[in-house]
């Protein structure tokens, strides 16, 4: 190969390498405006984010802060109290001041919602007024995956609480935060949300009269049913422009902690339909393992089941 050809190759290689290094340097120095994305959720401008935990995402449930605002904070000690006996999952976990949830961006309904109740947190408080609360979208969720009040309007379904407002009476803001739509699911109104489901919520609150600590996990289920062809199908309705899923059933798994540390567990599954008011709640008790299989979650996994004193009122 002639010396002139070799010289040309060396020049071309130098130019290529120099261009690559220059481009890489400029790309690292480049700043991308984020105000449009933060405020509107459009895809026009993206801003680089630090790596997320490999096990999922955990974030504070507050509006994504603009650069001029201080970062959101999380009450780690309260989260530790609420989640004392383990997380059922770590998918899109959001921590509020008095409850924690995992949000399903596909269905626009939470996977699970966790609460820790004591006699103090549920007792009547004149300073807390549910009537002052408004249902509101959760702006910590990307606009693509939010549910909106308009999704429920005219649907025939109630915005049913997973973490009940009556369980959070310590401060007004605790009650306010239960009205985020991430804490809601479409529920049949008369005969369910306003009746039998409400009875179950009141029953859970009443447990604090007997137990100093009550832990409750609530969520939706989408259970299969047999169709005319004899096959099983998972079928559920969706509502609104955002296709918010209507669960076929709802569950509550509850752990009651006694003052001496002994533990009891109860679990319930209720169909999302009008239920005869005379039907006792015990008719809806199911083994915890049944709920876990249906939900794809493990509840209170830090508690060995053989360490429980009772499950659904029966000695273990």
């Amino acid at each position: 190969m002639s010396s002139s050809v070799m010289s040309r190759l060396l020049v071309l290689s130098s130019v290529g390498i120099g261009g690559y290094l220059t481009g890489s340097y400029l790309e690292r120095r480049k700043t991308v405006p984020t105000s449009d994305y933060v405020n509107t959720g459009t895809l026009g401008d993206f801003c680089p984010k630090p790596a997320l935990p490999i096990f999922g995402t955990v974030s504070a449930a507050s509006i994504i802060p603009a650069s001029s605002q201080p970062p959101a904070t999380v009450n780690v000690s309260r989260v530790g109290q609420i989640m004392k006996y383990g997380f059922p999952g770590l998918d899109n976990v959001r921590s509020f001041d008095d409850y924690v949830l995992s949000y399903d961006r596909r269905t626009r309904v939470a996977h699970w919602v966790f609460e820790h109740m004591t006699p103090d947190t549920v007792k009547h408080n004149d300073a807390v007024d549910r009537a002052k609360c408004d249902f509101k979208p959760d702006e910590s969720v990307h606009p693509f995956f939010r549910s909106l009040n308009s999704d429920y309007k005219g649907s025939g379904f109630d915005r049913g609480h997973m973490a009940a407002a009556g369980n959070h009476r310590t401060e007004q803001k605790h009650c306010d935060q239960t009205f985020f739509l991430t804490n809601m699911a479409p529920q049949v109104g008369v005969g369910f949300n306003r009746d039998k489901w409400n009875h179950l919520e009141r029953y859970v609150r009443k447990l604090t009269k007997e137990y100093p600590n009550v832990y409750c996990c609530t969520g939706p289920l989408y259970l299969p049913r047999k169709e005319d062809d004899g096959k099983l199908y998972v079928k559920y309705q969706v509502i609104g422009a955002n296709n918010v899923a209507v669960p076929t059933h709802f569950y509550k798994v509850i752990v009651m902690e006694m003052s001496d540390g002994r533990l009891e567990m109860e679990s319930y599954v209720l169909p999302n339909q009008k239920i005869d008011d005379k039907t006792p709640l015990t008719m809806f008790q199911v083994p915890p393992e049944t709920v876990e299989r249906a939900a794809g979650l493990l509840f209170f996994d830090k508690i060995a089941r053989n360490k429980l004193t009772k499950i659904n009122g029966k000695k273990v």
Side-chain angles (χ1 to χ4, degrees):
M1 187 179 291
S2 67
S3 60
S4 62
V5 173
M6 287 292 293
S7 299
R8 288 177 186 174
L9 289 176
L10 288 172
V11 170
L12 289 172
S13 299
S14 300
V15 170
I17 293 170
Y20 171 78
L21 293 174
T22 302
S24 299
Y25 172 77
L26 292 175
E27 188 65 24
R28 288 195 299 271
R29 291 294 302 273
K30 187 191 298 181
T31 58
V32 183
T34 62
S35 58
D36 290 343
Y37 176 72
V38 170
N39 294 328
T40 67
T42 60
L43 294 175
D45 298 310
F46 273 104
C47 125
K49 300 291 183 186
L52 296 172
I54 60 172
F55 50 76
T57 59
V58 182
S59 62
S62 57
I63 299 173
I64 300 170
S67 57
S68 61
Q69 296 175 326
T73 58
V74 181
N75 187 340
V76 177
S77 61
R78 183 60 180 139
V79 173
Q81 289 174 336
I82 298 167
M83 309 308 300
K84 177 179 179 180
Y85 293 115
F87 283 76
L90 288 168
D91 184 27
N92 294 304
V93 174
R94 282 170 158 67
S95 58
F96 294 84
D97 285 320
D98 207 38
Y99 71 96
V100 178
L101 64 77
S102 165
Y103 187 67
D104 187 341
R105 293 183 296 187
R106 183 180 63 85
T107 63
R108 280 70 170 170
V109 175
H111 292 291
W112 52 263
V113 179
F114 234 100
E115 303 169 89
H116 166 231
M117 284 160 271
T118 68
D120 288 334
T121 62
V122 304
K123 72 179 179 183
H124 181 74
N125 184 350
D126 290 333
V128 176
D129 185 359
R130 179 190 171 116
K132 295 179 181 177
C133 303
D134 293 317
F135 291 97
K136 50 192 175 290
D138 187 342
E139 295 187 2
S140 71
V141 174
H142 190 287
F144 287 2
F145 313 119
R146 285 181 205 158
S147 61
L148 303 174
N149 283 313
S150 58
D151 293 318
Y152 287 85
K153 187 176 181 179
S155 69
F157 291 95
D158 284 2
R159 291 163 291 193
H161 283 71
M162 300 291 94
N167 297 348
H168 304 273
R169 293 171 170 166
T170 307
E171 297 181 40
Q172 181 66 43
K173 69 174 181 177
H174 292 176
C175 187
D176 290 343
Q177 288 177 359
T178 66
F179 282 79
F180 279 113
L181 293 181
T182 40
N183 184 43
M184 303 297 154
Q187 291 185 334
V188 170
V190 177
F192 187 75
N193 179 44
R194 307 172 204 179
D195 297 287
K196 191 53 65 177
W197 185 252
N198 183 40
H199 297 168
L200 180 56
E201 290 175 333
R202 284 187 292 167
Y203 167 75
V204 174
R205 279 196 290 277
K206 253 192 229 182
L207 290 172
T208 60
K209 293 182 178 180
E210 185 178 351
Y211 305 92
N213 291 287
V214 174
Y215 301 85
C216 181
C217 186
T218 305
L221 292 173
Y222 306 89
L223 300 184
R225 67 179 180 184
K226 189 176 289 188
E227 299 289 339
D228 293 339
D229 61 3
K231 297 179 181 178
L232 292 170
Y233 295 88
V234 175
K235 185 186 291 186
Y236 54 88
Q237 183 181 347
V238 296
I239 60 172
N242 292 298
N243 295 325
V244 181
V246 180
T248 63
H249 296 71
F250 290 92
Y251 68 81
K252 280 188 184 289
V253 181
I254 309 143
V255 163
M256 299 87 81
E257 184 183 80
M258 302 180 214
S259 53
D260 62 3
R262 287 181 298 153
L263 300 168
E264 297 179 12
M265 179 182 283
E266 293 182 3
S267 56
Y268 298 82
V269 171
L270 278 65
N272 189 12
Q273 63 188 42
K274 185 175 180 179
I275 298 172
D276 189 332
D277 201 48
K278 296 177 183 177
T279 309
L281 285 173
T282 52
M283 291 291 293
F284 302 101
Q285 284 186 338
V286 298
E289 295 82 6
T290 300
V291 189
E292 290 173 322
R293 289 175 183 273
L297 301 167
L298 293 175
F299 302 107
F300 301 98
D301 63 331
K302 289 186 178 180
I303 303 173
R305 294 286 158 86
N306 60 5
K307 300 297 182 185
L308 293 165
T309 305
K310 293 180 183 177
I311 295 179
N312 289 337
K314 298 178 180 178
K315 289 185 178 180
V316 176

